[in-house]
Amino acid sequence: MLFLLGGLALFLFGVRLVGENLQLLLGPRLRRLLASATRSGPRAALTGALVTALAQSGTLVTVLTITLVDAGVLGLRQALAVALGASVGGTLTVQLLAFKITHLAMPLLALGLLLSWPRLLQGRLGRIAIGLGLLFLGLDTMLGSLQPLRGSLLFAQVLAALAQSPLVLAAIGLVLTALVHSSNATATLALAFVSGGLLTAEQGVALVIGANVGTTFSAVLVSAHGPVDGRRVAVGHLGVKAIGALATLAVLNSFMHLLARLGAGPERLIANAHTLFNLLVLLAVLPLGRSVTRLLQRLIPTPPSEDTPRYLSADALDRPELAYGLAFREVLRISEEVESMYALATKALQGETTHAELSLRENTVDDLVNAVVLYLGRLGAGQPHARYVALFGTASELEAIADLCKRLARQPLKLHAHGSRFAPEGSRELVVLALELKERMHATFTALTLRNAPNESGPHFSAEVAHQRMLHLYRLVASEEAQRSSSVHLDILTVLEQIHTGLRRIDVLADQL
């Protein structure tokens, strides 16, 4: 049993090593690829399958998908298709293991050692090769550990009892996968047991079917205290998998006949069952995408908005990639609040009263930023990461911009208190400049969602501010209104320039996230 668990540990560590280093190599490209899945369900599913096949991390795809849903980049229907497509792409590892190439474990480990030179892509290719070697070594260890069980009378009696109920085996697969957070690990165990003659093919398939339901529990738990759209994606993924599993178990004999037609040995049969089940669920749900979306919206209605953190979950802190994704989602929410504050500030420049609402929103931003900072502090304790620092910097810049928005809205109040007003031309110029910055802010925050920097506009805006100051100086000679409002007018130009500078700093940080 110790060798069995040790082999499973090697397998899981290999999966993690391969996935993390592939993500580091391809991370920004994968995010852009995932964000492009906005046109149709089939394209979204194909994108999800491709991203997961490359990254070998269902967790990464889940976090990114829910983040893009909350940011409005992906719709609920497309996100569900991405999640189902990711389930298909995630079966690539088990398909690879079914080729019976465990003898490559040692050569891959040796190759990984040779490729671990830091100057060669920071040693990531070497760690990927080592991870693949550990995958095969783990499977080989599990296969070897099963030999003593073949002669066990007790084990034979347990298997005989389980054979009477595929549903019980599916439930075991579900629970095991929920515990180890990897359907591939459970499918690999099933492959090892079937290959070793300890389980029949039908029992192994039942175990795999349950595993494909259990793998959806992680997303449900992570999204439990998150936004409503994220919960809908997670619950929808669980629901369609559960219905698909019950339907497949009800016609298990027919499913086995279909697998038999695909040929090959018991290892390939288990791998094909893993892939085929997810593919059939995907094909069944895609045509019903709109109906499933409407049903999820009815089952999980949109709750009233709250001013407390929506995404920060203490339960995710032991999984750094998930916790970082949740913190990133909270920062995106802060950016939305800041953008709303700036819209209110521009209305104040046009004579509307928005100070009270701005104060409430500023308090919300301050509280959210403080929560994100504390969360990142707990996440990075003992293991500081450049991404954490960049995300902390982004949150701090957003808080500073929120303060500037409130300061911007206060400027016209100074004039009103003294019975003064802006010169008509000066007022129009300020509003036009403020609206131009509003577009720039929207571009920055949209790019932040994709963790990319937008096109450079720094020199143009700075030149425009300088031009505005020159025009104001010309008006001072002939306009008394310009003279009385000069101090406030120049303060507004300074605040707009400071906001733009903060946006440029966020642009720089976005590439580091």
Side-chain angles (χ1 to χ4, degrees), residues 65-71 74-77 79 219-220 222-237 292-306 308-311 329-330 333 336:
T65 300
I66 294 176
T67 298
L68 293 173
V69 169
D70 296 335
L74 281 180
L76 178 58
R77 183 164 61 97
V220 173
V222 169
S223 66
H225 302 291
V228 63
D229 281 333
R231 295 202 304 273
R232 286 167 179 162
V233 173
V235 171
H237 193 199
V292 173
T293 298
R294 286 195 293 267
L295 177 61
L296 289 170
Q297 289 170 339
R298 290 180 181 177
L299 292 176
I300 309 176
T302 302
S305 60
E306 300 175 357
T308 55
R310 297 177 185 171
Y311 309 102
R329 288 160 59 195
E330 196 67 54
R333 180 191 172 200
E336 294 171 0

Side-chain angles (χ1 to χ4, degrees), residues 369 373 389-403 506 509:
V369 170
V373 169
V389 176
L391 192 59
F392 170 81
T394 303
S396 299
E397 291 295 341
L398 288 170
E399 185 177 25
I401 292 174
D403 292 338
I506 291 175
L509 292 167

Side-chain angles (χ1 to χ4, degrees), residues 74-204:
L74 281 180
L76 178 58
R77 183 164 61 97
Q78 287 82 4
L80 186 57
V82 168
L84 293 173
S87 297
V88 178
T91 66
L92 178 63
T93 299
V94 180
Q95 289 287 351
L96 187 63
L97 292 173
F99 278 112
K100 296 184 181 180
I101 49 178
T102 56
H103 61 279
L104 294 178
M106 293 305 171
L108 282 169
L109 290 173
L111 178 63
L113 182 62
L114 295 174
L115 295 177
S116 294
W117 190 37
R119 292 189 179 181
L120 183 61
L121 296 176
Q122 299 180 335
R124 288 168 186 161
L125 283 178
R127 288 192 288 273
I128 290 171
I130 290 173
L132 290 172
L134 291 176
L135 285 177
F136 295 128
L137 183 60
L139 177 60
D140 193 45
T141 303
M142 285 189 282
L143 288 171
S145 71
L146 297 177
Q147 296 298 328
L149 294 177
R150 289 183 175 179
S152 171
L153 179 62
L154 177 62
F155 196 76
Q157 291 174 341
V158 171
L159 289 181
L162 291 176
Q164 305 300 320
S165 177
L167 189 60
V168 173
L169 273 169
I172 293 173
L174 184 154
V175 172
L176 182 59
T177 302
L179 291 174
V180 301
H181 304 288
S182 173
S183 61
N184 280 343
T186 305
T188 302
L189 275 176
L191 188 151
F193 273 74
V194 172
S195 178
L198 298 174
L199 285 180
T200 66
E202 185 173 318
Q203 291 171 329

Side-chain angles (χ1 to χ4, degrees), residues 348-414:
L349 291 181
Q350 300 173 65
E352 295 186 26
T353 303
T354 61
H355 184 70
E357 187 175 354
L358 268 170
S359 296
L360 292 175
R361 288 184 178 271
E362 185 197 30
N363 291 335
T364 298
V365 169
D366 289 344
D367 291 341
L368 292 178
V369 170
N370 184 57
V372 167
V373 169
L374 293 176
Y375 192 81
L376 288 173
R378 294 175 63 189
L379 177 61
Q383 50 174 3
H385 196 293
R387 290 194 306 168
Y388 302 166
V389 176
L391 192 59
F392 170 81
T394 303
S396 299
E397 291 295 341
L398 288 170
E399 185 177 25
I401 292 174
D403 292 338
L404 289 170
C405 288
K406 187 176 179 181
R407 178 181 164 189
L408 179 64
R410 282 201 303 262
Q411 299 305 312
L413 297 179
K414 296 179 181 179

Side-chain angles (χ1 to χ4, degrees), residues 23 27-32 34-35 51 55 57-71 73-74 79 82 321-322 325 328-329 332 449-451:
Q23 291 168 35
R29 298 180 184 87
L30 293 179
R31 285 190 289 268
R32 287 193 289 269
L34 196 58
V51 169
S57 174
T59 297
L60 170 71
V61 175
T62 299
V63 170
L64 284 178
T65 300
I66 294 176
T67 298
L68 293 173
V69 169
D70 296 335
V73 177
L74 281 180
V82 168
E321 191 65 28
L322 275 177
F328 177 70
R329 288 160 59 195
L332 290 182
T449 301
L450 303 178
R451 309 184 201 190

